[in-house]
């Protein structure tokens, strides 16, 4: 609605691109950003955000469990109860991050 919010990065669970728009998800809000996902990723370099798929970045600080998923993918369970899927392409980098 044209309102700009300042959101502490530690409150963001994940960022996702849907139908060409990028959204930031917190425990109680979904906020749209004018940035493209790769721009968000660049701004978050050096933080705990990891690429989970072409469409998603996940704040690893909010991951409470990791499960294997079909076709060499992984499922991340977030501390708000949501589950997100890590694609096969990005699973090896995530495994390196957690020393598997």
């Amino acid at each position: 609605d044209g309102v700009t919010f300042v959101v502490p990065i530690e409150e963001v669970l994940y960022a996702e691109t849907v139908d060409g728009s990028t959204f930031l998800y917190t425990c109680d809000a979904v906020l749209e950003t004018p940035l493209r996902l790769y721009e968000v990723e660049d701004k978050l370099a050096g933080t705990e955000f990891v690429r989970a798929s072409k469409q998603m970045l996940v704040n690893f600080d909010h991951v409470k469990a990791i499960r294997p998923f079909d076709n060499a993918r992984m499922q991340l369970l977030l501390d708000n109860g949501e589950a997100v899927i890590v694609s096969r392409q990005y699973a090896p980098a995530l495994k390196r991050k957690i020393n598997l």
Side-chain angles (χ1 to χ4, degrees), residues 19-98:
D19 295 331
S21 296
T22 303
F23 299 93
L24 303 175
Y25 295 81
T26 68
C27 283
D28 34 75
V30 178
L31 306 164
E32 186 173 2
T33 176
L35 300 174
R36 295 205 173 272
L37 194 62
Y38 74 88
E39 293 171 318
V40 173
E41 184 175 31
D42 287 347
K43 289 187 179 291
L44 296 174
T47 68
E48 287 300 308
F49 278 80
V50 294
R51 183 66 86 142
S53 68
K54 279 176 47 176
Q55 301 86 10
M56 184 180 291
L57 298 169
V58 176
N59 186 344
F60 207 74
D61 284 341
H62 289 283
V63 175
K64 71 175 188 178
I66 301 170
R67 289 186 193 159
F69 203 68
D70 62 342
N71 293 328
R73 297 181 297 171
M74 299 168 68
Q75 183 182 57
L76 304 179
L77 301 174
L78 305 180
D79 55 14
N80 70 339
E82 282 191 68
V84 298
I85 303 300
V86 178
S87 71
R88 288 187 319 229
Q89 179 180 357
Y90 296 98
L94 186 67
K95 286 179 181 179
R96 282 192 301 277
K97 180 168 181 61
I98 60 173

Side-chain angles (χ1 to χ4, degrees), residues 6-22:
V6 176
V7 179
I9 202 62
E10 61 271 3
E11 290 184 17
V12 177
L13 301 170
Y14 60 96
E16 182 178 34
T17 297
V18 179
D19 295 331
S21 296
T22 303

